Amino acid sequence: MKKMLSLAAMLAVLSYASPASAELKFGGDASVRVRSEFNDSDTGTTADDVKWQYRIRLKGAADLGSGYFFKTMLMNEEGNIAGGWQTVGYGNHEAITVDISNFYFGRMMQDSHYMMGRMPLNSFNNPILDLSLYPMQALDSPVFNINFDRGYGVNYGTKLGDGDLNATVLVLDNEAPITLINNSVNSDGLFNDGYGVHLSYKMNIGDVTIEPQMVTVIGNTDIWNQTLVGAAFVTAAVTGHADPTTDVTFAKDVTPWTFGANASMPVGDAKLSCSAFYTFCEDNGADYHAAVYRLKGEVGPFMAWVDYNPAADNKTNTDYSNTFVWAQYKYSVYESAAGTFSLQPTLRWLTKSTETATTDSDTSTLRAELWATVTF
């Protein structure tokens, strides 16, 4: 162990001593939180609970010069966890591993940039991918929680006119051809896999920032049913680990279209944001449409938003109506050049209503949380 530490220290000294070496930076954050969860259902079935959780994320970055860069983040993704949060004592054991959650490299230039790898998606602040992949339940940030907010692909951005154009291509799934009993092969050739295309254009009109966006699919992909699988399904969409023979899907091998916009503006000392996105699909037996509307406000350390997600599955004559509220207050306990320590009370409230020709069900989940986080 001492030899390994000495070798690591020597390499670190050499990396900073050589003028040809990249500038390396390391950091991250560690959090613990307690969550009280209260569930309600019109069927009378409830399961209230208290969970003690933690999350550690290690981040690294390298400046290679001339705008070239490399970034990565390591965190635990093993087991039945959402967003990297590990529950103490879950399943009578804790699966603690270190996974390369994302890594990407590219070049930042004066008026453009490009990057590639397993990139962060910023889905926590932008619900378009939530609606695209989870149309019947696009709330509670499913891409951020279930898919760890990253996808494998390439991104290019450039200034265009008075705004910024961004284009991202993501690998949504990598399905091998399936050999049937009669030995024929079910395959679409090069388009057997699914690729998502995300286009956005961000511009300012006075004090208002507007960002129209569109997401579509090249080839076919599967739409996952979060209503059934929830956070237990942590390795399916956007990761390439889905098993089409066992995984619960809402629609298989479809090409949905999603479009809409984000907008934000200052209101005194506050920032007001709103989002509106619509998705639809009439493909391969699927026939559905859904929307998500978000109103968000930020004032100093306080942030809150409310989402509304109406949806309809015409194939099964099922209507969905979902509402979600997120509210948090971030209290800074300590700040320095080396890092911070903060406390963050958080409230999350999700209500879901499902209606068919013969049934009508309503459920709700209220989560009251307290986060303690140190950054370094």
Side-chain angles (χ1 to χ4, degrees), residues 264-301:
S264 62
M265 63 179 295
V267 181
D269 295 332
K271 178 182 178 182
L272 184 65
S273 307
C274 60
S275 305
F277 293 101
Y278 174 79
T279 189
F280 68 94
C281 181
E282 297 180 7
D283 184 26
N284 202 18
D287 183 6
Y288 67 83
H289 61 89
V292 63
Y293 307 100
R294 172 175 294 180
L295 182 62
K296 180 179 179 181
E298 300 172 77
V299 183

Side-chain angles (χ1 to χ4, degrees), residues 226-249:
Q226 188 200 7
T227 304
L228 297 179
V229 298
F233 194 29
V234 296
T235 58
V238 192
T239 65
H241 296 165
D243 182 355
T245 64
T246 61
D247 292 333
V248 180
T249 57

Side-chain angles (χ1 to χ4, degrees), residues 134-246:
Y134 300 90
M136 303 300 108
Q137 179 46 268
L139 308 185
D140 203 4
S141 303
V143 172
F144 182 85
N145 286 309
I146 297 177
N147 309 122
F148 301 104
D149 195 40
R150 77 288 188 274
Y152 184 86
V154 296
N155 167 263
Y156 176 77
T158 184
K159 289 189 176 297
L160 182 64
D162 295 329
D164 297 309
L165 176 67
N166 257 283
T168 304
V169 178
L170 297 172
V171 180
L172 297 179
D173 55 47
N174 182 23
E175 295 186 359
I178 301 175
T179 303
L180 304 181
I181 296 177
N182 60 4
N183 293 325
S184 64
V185 176
N186 177 19
S187 173
D188 293 326
L190 293 177
F191 293 105
N192 192 57
D193 304 328
Y195 304 92
V197 180
H198 180 202
L199 301 176
S200 67
Y201 184 74
K202 192 173 185 178
M203 57 184 174
N204 294 321
I205 302 177
D207 292 335
V208 180
T209 301
I210 301 177
E211 186 178 13
Q213 301 179 61
M214 182 190 72
V215 169
T216 188
V217 173
I218 300 175
N220 294 323
T221 192
D222 295 339
I223 302 301
W224 306 104
N225 193 340
Q226 188 200 7
T227 304
L228 297 179
V229 298
F233 194 29
V234 296
T235 58
V238 192
T239 65
H241 296 165
D243 182 355
T245 64
T246 61

Side-chain angles (χ1 to χ4, degrees), residues 336-356:
S336 73
T340 66
F341 175 52
S342 64
L343 297 175
Q344 180 178 300
T346 302
L347 183 70
R348 301 159 71 177
W349 183 39
L350 174 65
T351 65
K352 300 185 293 184
S353 177
T354 304
E355 183 178 354
T356 68

Side-chain angles (χ1 to χ4, degrees), residues 321-371:
S321 180
N322 311 302
T323 305
F324 179 65
V325 175
W326 176 294
Q328 69 179 47
Y329 182 87
K330 188 174 183 179
Y331 173 71
S332 178
V333 178
Y334 175 77
E335 290 187 26
S336 73
T340 66
F341 175 52
S342 64
L343 297 175
Q344 180 178 300
T346 302
L347 183 70
R348 301 159 71 177
W349 183 39
L350 174 65
T351 65
K352 300 185 293 184
S353 177
T354 304
E355 183 178 354
T356 68
T358 57
T359 63
D360 187 359
S361 63
D362 296 285
T363 62
S364 68
T365 300
L366 175 64
R367 291 168 175 163
E369 305 170 342
L370 179 61
W371 305 23

